[in-house]
Amino acid sequence: MADVYDLVIVGGGVAGLCAALSAPEGASIAVIDKGEAASGSSPLAQGGLAAAVGPDDSAELHAKDTMAAGAGLCDPDVVADICGEGPAAVAWLQALGCDFDRGDGDGLDLAREGGQSVPRSVHWRDATGAEIVRALRAAARGRAQRMDARARAIAMEDGRCAGVVTDQGTVLGRATLLATGGAGGLWASTTNAPGATGDGTALAMAAGAAIGDLEFMQFHPTALAVGGAQQRVLLTEALRGEGATLIDADGERFVEEMAARHIVAKAIIDAGEAWLDARGVPYLEDRFPTIVEGARRHGFDPVTQPLPVYPAAHYFIGGVAARADGATSVDGLFAAGECATTGMHGANRMAGNSLLEAVVTGRRVGQGLGGLPAPSGRLEDGPEPLGDLPASLPAIMWQRCGPVRDEEGLKHGLVALDEISGSWHARLCVTIVAAALERRETRGVHVRSDWPLPDVGLGGRSMIVAR
């Protein structure tokens, strides 16, 4: 029989690395990564990690802001739990060598992002995700065996997860963690890295795990509006926290810049055209070098001109239904980070909370190892393997299930998706569209033009699909 690892991690981003680093000393760990090392969406996170470390902040205020952004769908216990872990998470990352920017005194420099009532995001310039991944990878060197492979199915034995079937063979594990990141690649315009196509959710769905909150894709309001490639340059809202403004075709401000993301995104869509004017941001090239370089690569200079912006698929709030310790409805299968839905984000993720959640829940998966049985290798016949993303799918999702939806468009989307081969990505998108159709209201990032107000009866009701 093949070797059995203590932990098999699918994905090499923040959540997976935190799990590997928090596992007991001597645990055997395999990391299955379908992209190049240190690729994926984690290194693209710009604004920062939210934690109540400032003098005017507290875990209670952090939780209050999170609940307000979540528009009635957050789990208050999960929110209080994870927000309470913020300062410890920052201290742990610093102890590993993460170099967050310092303020004028001895404390950390804090950026204010959308939905935050006070500056709360610790950061490293505008490349916070890249710095966290750098520090985690350095600390994890030698702790895990990396496998350049793509997960195709969850291996099952006697009704529990026994590892992962990859295109390079089956990898057995006592515990398996899905840490595959987001799903922005299911839409035609996204800030996500190539390959963020909802694989973790599709794998869990195929294995019979509960999934949920699929109607909630957060569209970042300020992606650089340029034609061509699916991946768009993200213009972090920390720019707006430093004084950048959103202006219309007449050069007039038309929205409160630090409002929650779905509010800003809808205002930009309603305006038709919008520009982000960052010319007044101090030390723009020093504080936001990633953005300046990205804009110049496309022929724009934020130092001298406003940048055209439009929303793009950014953060998938839905995913594999999981507890704050990563446990899912399938024994032996865990999920953490963006591919999981824990109740932390509700109907709209507050900026900075994704990195915090990934660190906290990833660490808990690693810390919770132990006592799980080893698979025998007598595997059940698995589901149809996860295939490649159908080429026509992202355009359908953008046109029919984009930032603003309606019943007619969603129904047309279901018809169009039904014509695509029955891949698990297509089935996942059908479930996303069906959830958006069922939620007849506007709540958080789920905006229905035909149901523009929230439905009181749907408050507190997350749609978890038990497979």
Side-chain angles (χ1 to χ4, degrees):
M1 188 182 76
D3 292 338
V4 177
Y5 291 90
D6 292 311
L7 176 62
V8 177
I9 301 171
V10 186
V14 168
L17 289 169
C18 287
L21 282 166
S22 302
E25 195 69 33
S28 57
I29 303 170
V31 176
I32 298 167
D33 196 347
K34 72 175 182 178
E36 296 179 2
S39 64
S41 291
S42 285
L44 299 180
Q46 292 180 356
L49 181 152
V53 296
D56 300 322
D57 206 356
S58 67
E60 291 74 21
L61 182 58
H62 186 175
K64 180 180 178 182
D65 288 350
T66 298
M67 296 286 291
L73 288 190
C74 295
D75 183 319
D77 293 333
V78 172
V79 170
D81 177 19
I82 294 179
C83 289
E85 290 293 316
V90 170
W92 181 72
L93 289 171
Q94 288 179 298
L96 290 176
C98 192
D99 186 20
F100 295 121
D101 286 338
R102 312 294 297 187
D104 293 334
D106 294 332
L108 294 166
D109 185 62
L110 301 175
R112 185 184 174 203
E113 300 186 85
Q116 298 179 3
S117 59
V118 297
R120 180 175 292 129
S121 291
V122 301
H123 59 87
W124 187 78
R125 297 184 180 179
D126 63 346
T128 309
E131 170 59 14
I132 291 175
V133 169
R134 180 204 64 76
L136 292 175
R137 285 187 60 82
R141 195 165 290 122
R143 294 288 300 272
Q145 178 181 348
R146 182 181 182 276
M147 300 179 180
D148 186 3
R150 181 170 182 182
R152 293 295 189 181
I154 301 299
M156 299 293 292
E157 178 181 295
D158 298 329
R160 73 183 314 276
C161 175
V164 179
V165 179
T166 81
D167 54 6
Q168 304 297 318
T170 299
V171 184
L172 299 178
R174 295 174 181 269
T176 298
L177 169 62
L178 295 173
T180 56
L186 298 178
W187 281 262
S189 178
T190 180
T191 63
N192 291 182
T197 51
D199 289 9
T201 305
L203 288 167
M205 181 180 178
I211 57 178
D213 297 327
L214 301 180
E215 65 270 38
F216 298 112
M217 164 56 80
Q218 183 182 77
F219 294 85
H220 198 289
T222 53
L224 187 65
V226 293
Q230 180 183 22
Q231 185 182 1
R232 303 300 174 92
V233 175
L234 172 65
L235 306 176
T236 173
E237 61 198 349
L239 277 168
R240 287 175 268 144
E242 295 291 336
T245 57
L246 283 164
I247 57 176
D248 60 19
D250 297 320
E252 301 293 329
R253 294 175 65 180
F254 62 94
V255 64
E256 199 289 295
E257 280 85 6
M258 298 313 294
R261 287 177 174 172
H262 64 288
I263 295 173
V264 180
K266 188 173 188 303
I268 291 172
I269 291 169
D270 290 343
E273 293 180 302
W275 287 262
L276 183 67
D277 188 353
R279 290 175 293 181
V281 173
Y283 312 111
L284 181 63
E285 292 182 273
D286 292 333
R287 172 68 174 84
F288 299 100
T290 305
I291 288 172
V292 172
E293 189 278 329
R296 286 175 175 167
R297 193 170 63 246
H298 289 278
F300 299 95
D301 189 347
V303 176
T304 61
Q305 65 185 133
L307 304 176
V309 294
Y310 200 79
H314 182 59
Y315 188 89
F316 193 42
I317 292 171
V320 188
R323 301 194 313 232
D325 64 358
T328 74
S329 64
V330 173
D331 288 344
L333 181 65
F334 298 80
E338 191 173 350
C339 74
T341 181
T342 64
M344 174 69 176
H345 307 305
N348 179 34
R349 175 185 69 100
M350 191 190 78
N353 273 347
S354 51
L355 285 173
L356 172 63
E357 183 192 40
V359 172
V360 172
T361 57
R363 289 189 70 194
R364 287 179 176 173
V365 172
Q367 293 165 342
L369 291 182
L372 295 174
S376 67
R378 297 186 296 274
L379 303 179
E380 303 169 7
D381 291 334
E384 175 189 343
L386 190 69
D388 295 328
L389 186 73
S392 61
L393 192 151
I396 295 170
M397 291 298 288
W398 183 262
Q399 293 164 4
R400 302 304 186 185
C401 195
V404 178
R405 299 95 179 258
D406 61 35
E407 181 174 348
E408 181 181 7
L410 291 167
K411 286 183 175 178
H412 280 301
L414 288 176
V415 172
L417 289 170
D418 189 55
E419 296 175 356
I420 297 176
S421 63
S423 73
W424 281 107
H425 288 108
R427 296 177 202 179
L428 172 59
C429 286
V430 166
T431 311
I432 292 170
V433 174
L437 187 61
E438 182 178 350
R439 187 171 284 280
R440 296 182 176 181
E441 64 166 352
T442 288
R443 185 180 295 274
V445 300
H446 174 63
V447 179
R448 287 279 299 262
S449 60
D450 51 346
W451 295 90
L453 299 175
D455 182 342
V456 175
L458 294 178
R461 178 185 164 200
S462 290
M463 297 181 185
I464 300 298
V465 181
R467 305 307 305 167

